[in-house]
Amino acid sequence: MTAVSTDVTGGPSAYQGQQIAVASYISPLSDPAAWDRLIKYDVTKMSILVANVVNGPDSAVDTNWQDVIQRASDAGKTVLGYVRTGYLGVSAQKFQTRLGSGDLADWAAQVEEDVDTWYKLYGDSIGGIFFDEGWPECGDNNEYVDFYKYVNAYTKRTHPGAYTVLNPGSPMASCFEDTMDTLLTFELSYDSYINSYTPNDWIPKDPRKLWHVVYNVSKSLISQVVKLANERGAGFLQLTNDLMPNPYDTLPEDSYIQSMMDAMDGGSLLNADAAAWKADGAAGTVTELTVVTSDYSSVKLSWDAATNAQGYNVYAGGTLVASVPSSMNGVTIGGLDTGTSYTIYVSAVGEGGTLGSSSNQVTVTTDSLPDGKTVANYKSSPRENSTVIEADVLVPYSIVRLYLWDSIECDFDNDPGWSVNFKVDDYVCAHYMVEGTTLYRYNGVLPKDSTAPPWSWAVIDTVTRDISGYTYTWTLPLGTSTVDTSKFVVQAQGYNPWTNIFEPDPSDYDCKGSSMCTTPDLLKWCDHAVNYLSRDDDLNYYSAEMIE
């Protein structure tokens, strides 16, 4: 095929043909073979892989992800860490930061926190950042463009060599050309790519500026789509035969990938340097730094503007924790340890990146968690046809799920469910789950010769979820007429240590000793346990002899 134009501004004189970039949201634990293939493919044809642990980096190293990220990097692939930018809180969804803010400065602080966490956890194996949920409008006085330029420059200054991608999944105005190394401007189906494609109204200086993702593409149509993407100036392309709601959680068969690679010339990345600070004079001193509020893991700050400021750096305990544009005179800093004192100051950034004098220092002590628990004050209020469940989630998480459990362990043969551990080898069996505002029922079947049930849920209804301050309130369309909704698990993960909070305590029902089976309610549960656990098969953790 004919390669994309080689008339490149600012790039090497050698060719830059089309390459494959993959949003590889595939769990390396559930499908390690897919990652083995991704790592082995020719790096000149497949140059970019995106890692997404839990809508971001999480707060601790995941050894399964660490393995594939390291091996991919060693193979020459550029592995990008996934970071949400929430459409900057201005889309119809009005997304908020993990701390419940829609302020641009707070989005900047969270984005930078996630960028730094990727590198803190996975080091130089991370080759850059994939900024998802990009907002495609310039904004008044280019405020949204300037936001992305600022976090791009922060990323590249703080982590030299970082490659950056911004993904709105839609056309963007020309004001965005210099915001990131690459812009992902199409992310829809084959039918949309053929019949309702909307191009940008500008032509980039370098074709490696554009990335298109097209799903529901059959193998027989690969050459057609590659050729069309080439004509539309997309230097990067991802095709898959997978479908919504998540076309990124599987990898097409090897012959499919080979067909893509055969249709492309391959090339290398174009990685721009961070934008230089302007020569606008030395920055003045920040004054009136004030603590507005603080809680368990965050502090909200405000300050008065400094002269000639091009940005403001915020330091806690002597460490840079956020950097915001000069238009912002306040920010909320998250990711702080609970029950800990911090000394904070702010410096303006001036000509050539030189810092002005430090502001006055403020000291803040974050709140201590009650009994060390990140989730507290949880309860269920069942009614005949509905149930209200409440819980205070005191620190931010990426995902907060709700499970309804009904027994100790699962009857995998007759009524399989999802296991949630309350001790190392002990678990409850859940048949209902709420994630976001969707109610699911478990529909997995234990595979033959396996002891690991699949993650498989069917949507059955919606729920009302309200978040006010720390308090999550779920209103479920399930009540005592259909299921016991008094037994539940609040599961929280991402950005803080994974936690499962059980109500009631399932340890009271494990029936390992006679002392457990004393009250009428417990006797009812113990009778159930004896009937099930006396079955003689290797799925049972307990045996009949263990129950008195």
Side-chain angles (χ1 to χ4, degrees):
M1 59 168 282
T2 302
V4 181
S5 169
T6 58
D7 184 14
V8 178
T9 301
S13 57
Y15 145 70
Q16 306 307 333
Q18 279 180 314
Q19 303 163 61
I20 302 170
V22 183
S24 40
Y25 307 162
I26 302 168
S27 168
L29 179 61
S30 62
D31 194 354
W35 273 96
D36 290 341
R37 289 166 52 203
L38 288 167
I39 292 166
K40 290 179 181 178
Y41 287 130
D42 183 353
V43 69
T44 66
K45 299 290 185 76
M46 182 183 289
S47 52
I48 295 175
L49 304 177
V50 180
N52 185 0
V53 178
V54 55
N55 290 333
D58 209 340
S59 59
V61 171
D62 183 307
T63 56
N64 296 294
W65 279 100
Q66 183 182 46
D67 172 67
V68 296
I69 291 171
Q70 181 67 60
R71 289 195 291 121
S73 177
D74 291 345
K77 302 293 171 67
T78 297
V79 183
L80 307 181
Y82 177 100
V83 171
R84 291 185 65 231
T85 71
Y87 305 113
L88 305 186
V90 297
S91 66
Q93 300 99 317
K94 299 296 181 185
F95 288 136
Q96 295 184 327
T97 67
R98 293 188 292 272
L99 293 167
S101 172
D103 187 83
L104 273 182
D106 295 346
W107 273 110
Q110 177 173 295
V111 166
E112 291 165 359
E113 178 189 343
D114 289 356
V115 168
D116 292 339
T117 301
W118 273 111
Y119 283 91
K120 176 183 177 181
L121 297 180
Y122 299 101
D124 292 339
S125 298
I126 293 297
I129 299 295
F130 181 88
F131 295 96
D132 198 18
E133 298 177 349
W135 186 244
E137 297 178 4
C138 305
D140 294 339
N141 299 315
N142 280 346
E143 64 174 330
Y144 303 135
V145 169
D146 290 344
F147 174 96
Y148 285 117
K149 285 183 176 180
Y150 198 91
V151 298
N152 178 66
Y154 172 88
T155 301
K156 288 176 174 288
R157 291 189 190 107
T158 311
H159 308 286
Y163 186 87
T164 56
V165 175
L166 178 61
N167 176 31
S170 64
M172 307 184 78
S174 60
C175 59
F176 280 91
E177 181 166 12
D178 296 325
T179 55
M180 304 270 174
D181 292 317
T182 293
L183 308 173
L184 202 165
T185 58
F186 185 90
E187 190 179 2
L188 291 170
S189 68
Y190 168 81
D191 180 71
S192 297
Y193 202 55
I194 299 300
N195 298 312
S196 56
Y197 173 76
T198 302
N200 294 321
D201 59 2
W202 54 283
I203 298 175
K205 297 185 289 287
D206 189 309
R208 291 169 294 178
K209 182 63 62 177
L210 302 184
W211 176 1
H212 290 173
V213 174
V214 190
Y215 55 83
N216 196 17
V217 179
S218 65
K219 182 180 177 181
S220 63
L221 298 172
I222 289 175
S223 294
Q224 174 199 8
V225 179
V226 170
K227 182 175 184 296
L228 187 57
N230 180 64
E231 294 169 353
R232 291 171 172 173
F236 294 100
L237 184 64
Q238 177 178 358
L239 305 181
T240 179
N241 50 10
D242 203 348
L243 305 171
M244 291 295 282
N246 186 357
Y248 310 116
D249 60 352
T250 62
L251 183 67
E253 66 274 12
D254 182 66
S255 61
Y256 188 102
I257 302 296
Q258 293 293 343
S259 294
M260 286 182 62
M261 296 174 67
D262 291 344
M264 295 185 181
D265 290 337
S268 59
L269 305 185
L270 179 61
N271 191 337
D273 294 331
W277 293 104
K278 297 177 182 178
D280 284 348
T285 302
V286 175
T287 58
E288 299 298 325
L289 175 62
T290 303
V291 174
V292 180
T293 59
S294 65
D295 68 356
Y296 298 98
S297 62
S298 69
V299 56
K300 184 175 182 178
L301 306 168
S302 69
W303 58 85
D304 287 348
T307 57
N308 296 329
Q310 298 180 44
Y312 296 101
N313 285 357
V314 183
Y315 298 86
T319 299
L320 178 66
V321 292
S323 183
V324 298
S326 59
S327 59
M328 304 173 182
N329 296 341
V331 69
T332 303
I333 303 299
L336 302 179
D337 293 331
T338 60
T340 303
S341 293
Y342 291 89
T343 299
I344 299 173
Y345 64 89
V346 178
S347 294
V349 184
E351 184 171 4
T354 302
L355 298 177
S357 299
S358 301
S359 70
N360 58 296
Q361 294 186 350
V362 296
T363 300
V364 62
T365 300
T366 55
D367 296 338
S368 296
L369 294 169
D371 298 323
K373 294 181 178 179
T374 59
V375 179
N377 302 324
Y378 39 90
K379 64 178 181 179
S380 175
S381 301
R383 307 184 186 107
E384 183 177 0
N385 296 308
S386 66
T387 299
V388 174
I389 296 178
E390 299 176 67
D392 289 345
V393 182
L394 304 179
V395 297
Y397 284 97
S398 175
I399 298 172
V400 177
R401 297 188 181 99
L402 180 69
Y403 295 95
L404 299 182
W405 66 275
D406 57 14
S407 63
I408 306 298
E409 300 199 343
C410 293
D411 183 346
F412 291 112
D413 292 337
N414 300 309
D415 191 18
W418 185 252
S419 303
V420 184
N421 285 83
F422 62 94
K423 293 180 181 176
V424 173
D425 292 314
D426 297 350
Y427 56 85
V428 299
C429 189
H431 287 96
Y432 293 93
M433 176 185 71
V434 177
E435 184 168 310
T437 58
T438 304
L439 175 64
Y440 300 85
R441 196 184 197 290
Y442 190 76
N443 66 348
V445 176
L446 189 70
K448 181 177 174 58
D449 300 323
S450 173
T451 58
W455 177 265
S456 183
W457 300 84
V459 176
I460 61 171
D461 213 330
T462 59
V463 305
T464 299
R465 186 190 68 176
D466 177 70
I467 304 174
S468 178
Y470 304 119
T471 304
Y472 280 63
T473 303
W474 295 272
T475 303
L476 283 62
L478 297 174
T480 55
S481 63
T482 55
V483 63
D484 184 353
T485 53
S486 65
K487 297 186 292 295
F488 63 88
V489 182
V490 177
Q491 182 180 86
Q493 67 178 113
Y495 300 104
N496 275 288
W498 183 312
T499 187
N500 291 323
I501 299 296
F502 295 83
E503 177 64 24
D505 185 352
S507 297
D508 293 338
Y509 300 97
D510 68 9
C511 300
K512 283 187 176 181
S514 58
S515 60
M516 290 291 189
C517 302
T518 56
T519 69
D521 285 343
L522 291 179
L523 283 170
K524 177 181 69 175
W525 276 96
C526 289
D527 287 343
H528 168 81
V530 170
N531 290 334
Y532 170 54
L533 296 173
S534 61
R535 293 170 54 240
D536 183 20
D537 63 51
D538 59 7
L539 289 178
N540 296 321
Y541 176 76
Y542 306 112
S543 66
E545 288 76 21
M546 296 174 66
I547 303 175
E548 298 179 14

